[in-house]
Amino acid sequence: MRHFGHVAPAVRKNLFVQEPCEFDGDAPARTLSAALGATLYSPATRPRLADDVVKQAGRGVVSMVLCLEDSIHDSEVADAEENLVRQFADLDARGCETPLLFIRVREPGQITDLVNRLRGTVRLLSGFVLPKFTEERGVPFMEALTVAEKACGRRLFAMPVLESPELLHLETRGETLRKIARTVDTYRDRVLALRLGVTDFCSAYGLRRAPDMTAYDVQIVGAVIADVVNVLGRANGTGFTITGPVWEYFRLQERMFKPQLRRSPFLEGRAEDLRTTLIEHDLDGLLREIELDRANGLLGKTCIHPSHVAPVHALSVVSHEEFSDAQDILRPERDGGGVLRSAYTNKMNEVKPHRAWAERTLQRAEVFGVAKEDVGFVDLLAAGVAE
């Protein structure tokens, strides 16, 4: 699979100076963690789940979570587990390419039980999403994952979700973060990425952000994200990939504020209708939040609607300017440091302070590609939604 793999090769050739790389579920963890992109969640109760997975793969989705937790009623869990076993068998029989598939469980015992019940079709499974992760809850999950790996003989990843009240509350946040850091470091080889449960954060205070506001506008939530990145997202080799929070909206709501999308980029790309569609579906707020995710050290995003996937991926592509700066900073002759003017003559590139940014940028370029100099976000988004 590859990002923008659903786009015709001739179109990709016109968009990218460096196309996204191909990868599969056996790729190195470093590649997969950067490549998750828009991770689309789906309730495990859906009767035609296999059809949904295949359809979304054809639309450019490269990672999906099949949820046994908050998206379904407590009374539906047993039926949902049985449905997952049937749907994995269906997918296996088709022999077609699937996204990276993860199952979001409720309890540690579900991990070993499901791996046993999936039998040979476990080869389609990349791992498990672990809810409300703390040290106390997390260790049993990680121990169960270790047992399941040995039982099936396959590498399985964990994606812990950071969403517990202990993490949100100021008086317990520091200690909770330290314990989470200790746990995920112990199981570092199995932790693919950390996910943020912002809906649960808001729930603890009876809050819900409006469609014309981002998670960062809710200051309690923004503060937690900052602290999570501070402790768990460092660029010194101790950090993890941390993914962006879910965007909850996908239909037009009554607006209080003006749309946040500038008109000029869409006029230049002759894509005014696309701009209108994004605004009508409240996706201009999503675009702003994706940009803030990246500015705050997050990569990828939890998604609950297929319409969110293309914007996440379009804004994940490395621009020609970013790539040029990153390459200049990482040239071997620059090891000693120094300051240089960017090739675009619009900024300072300071080699030592910007090195970690440059390394992360080239990692993103590997999986999402590098746009041509005259290709912008509008072109990438239009190509992504046209297929």
Side-chain angles (χ1 to χ4, degrees):
M1 73 188 82
R2 71 197 307 177
H3 284 289
F4 294 88
H6 66 303
V7 175
V11 176
R12 283 204 310 271
K13 186 176 180 180
N14 290 329
L15 292 174
F16 295 98
V17 66
Q18 175 183 306
E19 291 195 21
C21 70
E22 293 185 351
F23 61 92
D24 58 25
D26 295 322
R30 179 179 180 275
T31 299
L32 295 181
S33 67
L36 288 167
T39 300
L40 185 63
Y41 276 55
S42 177
T45 50
R46 291 180 66 87
R48 301 188 66 178
L49 189 57
D51 290 338
D52 296 339
V53 169
V54 172
K55 180 171 69 174
Q56 296 308 326
R59 293 178 174 179
V61 174
V62 304
S63 63
M64 289 186 70
V65 173
L66 313 177
C67 185
L68 292 168
E69 208 225 359
D70 287 346
S71 68
I72 67 173
H73 193 275
D74 295 348
S75 63
E76 297 177 303
V77 175
D79 289 342
E81 290 174 347
E82 292 180 5
N83 187 52
L84 277 181
V85 175
R86 288 194 302 270
Q87 302 296 333
F88 267 74
D90 187 348
L91 286 170
D92 188 56
R94 300 185 194 203
C96 54
E97 185 178 273
T98 65
L100 303 173
L101 297 178
F102 301 85
I103 298 174
R104 183 177 181 178
V105 292
R106 295 183 173 214
E107 302 295 338
Q110 287 179 298
I111 294 177
T112 50
D113 180 57
L114 283 168
V115 165
N116 289 334
R117 292 164 67 181
L118 287 172
R119 299 180 181 274
T121 67
V122 75
R123 69 178 186 82
L124 301 176
L125 182 66
S126 291
F128 293 89
V129 174
L130 314 179
K132 300 172 180 61
F133 194 92
T134 60
E135 182 179 58
E136 291 76 16
R137 281 182 55 85
V139 169
F141 275 119
M142 298 307 301
E143 289 176 344
L145 187 69
T146 303
V147 172
E149 274 192 331
K150 292 178 180 177
C152 69
R154 173 173 173 78
R155 179 183 68 174
L156 296 171
F157 287 114
M159 290 202 291
V161 186
L162 309 185
E163 57 186 345
S164 66
E166 301 96 316
L167 185 59
L168 181 63
H169 298 156
L170 184 61
E171 66 272 21
T172 53
R173 186 181 309 161
E175 181 63 18
T176 300
L177 270 173
R178 284 190 289 272
K179 289 181 176 180
I180 290 173
R182 183 168 61 200
T183 303
V184 293
D185 186 60
T186 299
Y187 296 95
R188 176 172 293 274
D189 291 345
R190 291 183 174 87
V191 177
L192 187 61
L194 304 176
R195 313 199 72 89
L196 291 165
V198 164
T199 301
D200 279 41
F201 288 161
C202 290
S203 173
Y205 287 88
L207 305 175
R208 186 173 193 177
R209 70 188 188 275
D212 44 10
M213 292 186 181
T214 72
Y216 302 91
D217 293 316
V218 183
Q219 294 193 18
I220 290 175
V221 172
V224 179
I225 294 175
D227 287 346
V228 168
V229 174
N230 191 326
V231 175
L232 296 166
R234 298 175 187 178
N236 61 359
T238 67
F240 296 83
T241 295
I242 302 171
T243 65
V246 67
W247 183 258
E248 298 179 348
Y249 297 96
F250 47 89
R251 294 293 181 203
L252 180 64
Q253 310 288 324
E254 184 178 0
R255 286 183 174 274
M256 182 177 295
F257 301 111
K258 290 182 178 180
Q260 301 172 66
L261 279 183
R262 291 190 303 114
R263 188 182 302 272
S264 55
F266 292 85
L267 292 175
E268 293 167 5
R270 299 180 181 178
E272 179 68 6
D273 289 345
L274 177 58
R275 178 180 181 271
T276 300
T277 299
L278 292 172
I279 292 170
E280 287 177 348
H281 287 78
D282 282 320
L283 296 184
D284 53 320
L286 168 64
L287 298 179
R288 181 165 175 261
E289 185 167 285
I290 296 166
E291 288 284 80
L292 288 170
D293 286 342
R294 178 134 48 94
N296 285 278
L298 310 184
L299 180 62
K301 200 164 186 67
T302 295
C303 294
I304 47 83
H305 195 272
S307 65
H308 301 169
V309 173
V312 173
H313 291 170
L315 281 174
S316 298
V317 173
V318 173
S319 71
H320 188 273
E321 181 174 347
E322 289 176 308
F323 189 64
S324 173
D325 288 338
Q327 283 190 311
D328 283 347
I329 290 165
L330 295 176
R331 292 189 191 281
E333 63 269 25
R334 305 287 184 191
D335 279 349
V339 178
L340 59 149
R341 184 176 63 173
S342 74
Y344 276 70
T345 69
N346 60 358
K347 72 178 75 64
M348 171 195 75
N349 286 330
E350 193 167 352
V351 174
K352 289 185 178 179
H354 290 146
R355 177 169 292 276
W357 169 86
E359 291 171 347
R360 286 187 173 184
T361 298
L362 292 190
Q363 182 182 10
R364 182 160 53 92
E366 179 185 356
V367 293
F368 286 102
V370 180
K372 287 188 173 181
E373 191 169 3
D374 60 346
V375 170
F377 158 74
V378 174
D379 304 297
L380 294 161
L381 179 58
V385 300
E387 298 298 324

